[in-house]
Amino acid sequence: MDSVDFEQHRPTLLGLAYRLLGSMWDAEDVVQEAWLRWQAIDHDEIRDPRAFLVTVVSRLALDQLRSARVRRESYTGSWLPEPVPTAEAGPLDTAELRDTVSYATLHLMERLSPPERAVFVLREAFEFPYDEIARVVGVSVANARQLHRRASLRLADGRDRFQPTEEEHTRLLMRFIEAAAGGDLGALAEILHEDVVIWSDGGGKVRAALRPILGRRKAVSFIDAVVSQHGSEGVVTEVNGLPAVWSVSGGHPQLTAFAVRDGRISEIFIVRNPDKLRRVAPADL
């Protein structure tokens, strides 16, 4: 029964740890450590296994996130979250669960401090009451509320108030693919936000832009140059709850995901680090 209890909650725990860390590899390590701790305790003393396990995973992830932030500061180029197939992202039964696992939101959450991120995820995605969040994070209830408010305000600066539906996201993605493949720079510029940013993560292992590419004009030039040199064939796949594009550029696979703002593409995330692509390669390739 001890094993059954844990396995029942494993998808939720993985989804929680992934939202906190932005890396499924790290999330799996955290959940495995939680399993070891679960085995070592007297289960008769645990009244609510889910609450206990969420607390353990949250605290382990917080510790790991603090050290991960130091490593990411010395990362070669831009650090982007590890994309995951939607089916591996844990339960997505609510709009909040889907929103907090979207690639754009995971990237935005990198601007939060570890406590802010933990409070935001526990409150928004898992609807924990503030008194339990305070106990998990190790702060007062008032501080937990303040951390949530601060995190919400910081994330609101980078997001549309009204997020597009999956169908709207897909239509915009297909327009992007068609414009880029056809070399229609006017159509490409039309669907890009004026302040669009392109992020590229090669992890120092494959060639990638080391700095963000800012603004519509530079973004159009960059996309046109890449397509002209390496081609534009791609396969639409679903990661983190939304469609993205799997392609090969310069002999290296990559995944391209998007954020949308004001009905246009506001951020383009190009993941080229091979360590982050092992889970998301389409099965038919």
Side-chain angles (χ1 to χ4, degrees):
M1 289 300 295
D2 297 341
S3 176
V4 171
D5 281 343
F6 190 91
E7 292 306 316
Q8 174 187 351
H9 299 297
R10 183 182 289 274
T12 296
L13 300 176
L14 277 172
L16 169 62
Y18 174 64
R19 286 168 174 80
L20 292 176
L21 296 167
S23 164
M24 188 58 79
W25 295 106
D26 291 338
E28 288 175 337
D29 287 344
V30 162
V31 172
Q32 179 61 23
E33 177 62 27
W35 160 243
L36 295 175
R37 297 192 180 193
W38 175 251
Q39 287 184 305
I41 64 169
D42 181 357
H43 299 123
D44 291 338
E45 298 181 359
I46 305 301
R47 290 181 295 178
D48 186 345
R50 179 181 183 272
F52 173 83
L53 291 169
V54 165
T55 298
V56 171
V57 166
S58 298
R59 289 175 177 171
L60 289 170
L62 266 172
D63 290 342
Q64 190 159 145
L65 183 59
R66 291 185 177 101
S67 61
R69 284 169 66 90
V70 175
R71 295 195 306 271
R72 292 169 192 176
E73 289 174 359
S74 60
Y75 191 80
T76 301
S78 301
W79 187 93
L80 293 177
E82 177 193 355
V84 299
T86 298
E88 297 181 17
L92 297 177
D93 303 329
T94 66
E96 290 76 16
L97 281 168
R98 296 188 71 86
D99 177 59
T100 52
V101 84
S102 75
Y103 200 83
T105 301
L106 283 176
H107 181 252
L108 274 175
M109 285 197 290
E110 286 296 309
R111 65 176 63 179
L112 304 180
S113 69
E116 286 173 343
R117 186 164 182 166
V119 169
F120 182 81
V121 168
L122 287 168
R123 182 64 178 174
E124 293 292 318
F126 296 93
E127 300 180 329
F128 263 47
Y130 281 111
D131 58 341
E132 291 189 34
I133 294 173
R135 179 173 53 80
V136 170
V137 180
V139 298
S140 68
V141 173
N143 282 343
R145 292 180 181 275
Q146 185 178 35
L147 286 167
H148 180 259
R149 181 176 180 277
R150 188 185 306 157
S152 299
L153 289 173
R154 296 183 72 179
L155 294 183
D157 288 339
R159 296 198 295 176
D160 246 345
R161 181 179 178 185
F162 303 104
Q163 291 297 304
T165 64
E166 183 175 349
E167 291 75 18
E168 292 168 338
H169 191 101
T170 301
R171 284 197 295 269
L172 196 56
L173 180 147
M174 297 308 297
R175 288 177 60 194
F176 173 87
I177 293 174
E178 292 170 4
D184 190 339
L185 303 188
L188 186 59
E190 177 63 25
I191 60 176
L192 296 181
H193 196 281
E194 180 181 0
D195 299 321
V196 65
V197 181
I198 299 178
W199 307 86
S200 186
D201 179 350
K205 300 185 177 184
V206 299
R207 187 175 181 181
L210 295 178
R211 294 181 178 83
I213 296 164
L214 309 175
R216 182 187 291 155
R217 182 180 60 81
K218 290 182 179 180
V220 169
S221 297
F222 175 81
I223 294 166
D224 182 48
V226 171
V227 171
S228 298
Q229 184 175 359
H230 301 296
S232 59
E233 290 189 10
V235 175
V236 176
T237 186
E238 186 175 293
V239 299
N240 294 74
L242 288 170
V245 180
W246 174 273
S247 60
V248 176
S249 179
H252 297 285
Q254 65 181 34
L255 185 93
T256 305
F258 304 89
V260 177
R261 190 171 192 177
D262 302 327
R264 289 182 167 85
I265 294 173
S266 58
E267 291 184 280
I268 301 174
F269 310 104
I270 305 174
V271 183
R272 292 174 56 80
N273 184 339
D275 293 341
K276 297 182 179 182
L277 295 175
R278 295 173 183 172
R279 300 173 191 273
V280 292
D284 54 348
L285 293 181

